[in-house]
Each structure stands twice: as C-alpha cells, then as structure tokens.
C-alpha cells in the first residue's frame, strides 16, 4: 500500500498530510496522479511562440518547419520542440494531435521521452509518413511522466 505522504519527486516518506516534502521541499498537497501538473515556484522564462502542453504546469512546445506556422509541404517532417521550465521529468509519454482548418483531427500519435530536465529543450520529429495531411494546428498533451 502506498504511503499517503510519500514524495512523488524524491520518494521521501513524509508524515501523512504534510504540505511539503521534508526531503526536497516539493509541495505534496493534491499531487497524487498529478506528476507534471505541480507548478514550480520559480518557472524559467518561456520564449515567444511557445504554447503550454495540455495537462501540465510547466511544459511548453513550439512547432517549427518550413511551413512557418502556416502550411506544411506533405513531404516535410513536423518538428516539435519541447521545453521544460519546471520540475525535471522522466519517462514521459506525450500525445500529439494535428488538426485542419475546420478543427478536424488529421492524426494522433504518441511519443515517449526518457528524460526532460529543467531548462532542457528536446526535439521531437514526426516523420511526414505519419502525417496523412499537413496540419493547420498542433496540440500536445502529457499522458504520463515521473519526476526525475
Ligand atoms: Zn521530496
């Protein structure tokens, strides 16, 4: 049985109902099942053009390619830059969806990342053969993660 006071970040066993971890200071209130959703007290700056990864507190993504935010050529890969401005995470699973101008979903794929440190940027490349049509917009959602 899981100890209610176990820190999800450093695994320190705290007294139940502790508000902060005695080992690392991580806020424990309501963090169960919420890895990646606890805002860091001092998030790093987010560059222009980056959007929040859904279901996270401090993960952001930017989409880049020669389409310049507009149309992709069908032969082009889709490049997604992930940026972590909060707590370091590992064993991430991310859900990526692309939509057309009418908001219809064109594709959905899952990508895994072994590690995403605080302040780190990681590129995710989606090959064009995984994309049936060029998307007008892209959404990224965190499915699960562990604290690094
Ligand atoms: Zn801790």
């Amino acid at each position: 049985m899981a100890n209610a006071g176990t820190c999800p970040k450093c695994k320190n066993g705290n007294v139940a109902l502790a508000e902060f971890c005695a080992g690392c200071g991580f806020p424990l209130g309501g963090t169960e099942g919420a890895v990646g959703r606890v805002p860091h007290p001092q998030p790093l700056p987010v560059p222009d053009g980056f959007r929040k990864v859904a279901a996270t507190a401090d993960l952001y993504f930017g989409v880049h390619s020669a389409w310049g935010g507009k149309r992709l050529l069908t032969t082009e890969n889709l490049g997604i830059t992930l940026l972590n401005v909060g707590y370091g995470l590992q064993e991430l699973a991310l859900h990526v969806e692309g939509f057309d101008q009418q908001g219809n979903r064109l594709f959905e794929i899952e990508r895994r990342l072994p590690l995403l440190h605080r302040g780190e940027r990681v590129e995710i490349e989606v090959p064009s053969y995984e994309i049936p049509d060029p998307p007008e917009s892209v959404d990224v959602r965190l499915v699960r993660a562990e604290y690094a």
Side-chain angles (χ1 to χ4, degrees):
M1 197 184 87
N3 180 346
T6 301
C7 176
K9 189 162 181 286
C10 76
K11 315 300 181 207
N12 183 55
N14 297 281
V15 297
L17 303 179
E19 214 175 323
F20 295 93
C21 173
C24 72
F26 190 79
L28 297 172
T31 59
E32 198 175 338
V35 175
R37 298 176 200 199
V38 178
H40 195 283
Q42 291 174 299
L44 301 168
V46 178
D48 287 345
F50 276 73
R51 290 168 48 207
K52 179 79 70 79
V53 173
T56 68
D58 294 312
L59 284 189
Y60 289 81
F61 75 97
V63 179
H64 59 87
S65 71
W67 61 325
K70 282 289 154 203
R71 285 257 143 210
L72 267 179
L73 299 173
T74 48
T75 54
E76 251 184 307
N77 294 348
L78 182 66
I80 297 170
T81 305
L82 278 169
L83 170 65
N84 184 3
V85 301
Y87 291 106
L89 298 172
Q90 63 182 348
E91 292 173 40
L92 298 88
L94 294 143
H95 191 84
V96 181
E97 291 176 298
F99 299 91
D100 68 13
Q101 262 176 320
Q102 286 74 43
N104 301 308
R105 188 166 61 209
L106 297 170
F107 66 88
E108 56 177 330
I109 53 169
E110 199 165 284
R111 279 291 181 274
R112 286 156 196 280
L113 267 186
L115 205 55
L116 189 59
H117 294 290
R118 171 171 166 83
E120 188 179 23
R121 290 182 186 216
V122 171
E123 298 289 322
I124 297 178
E125 196 84 1
V126 183
S128 57
Y129 61 75
E130 292 194 58
I131 308 171
D133 287 300
E136 183 69 23
S137 67
V138 172
D139 272 339
V140 181
R141 177 166 56 84
L142 182 68
V143 178
R144 67 178 166 277
E146 301 282 333
Y147 285 109

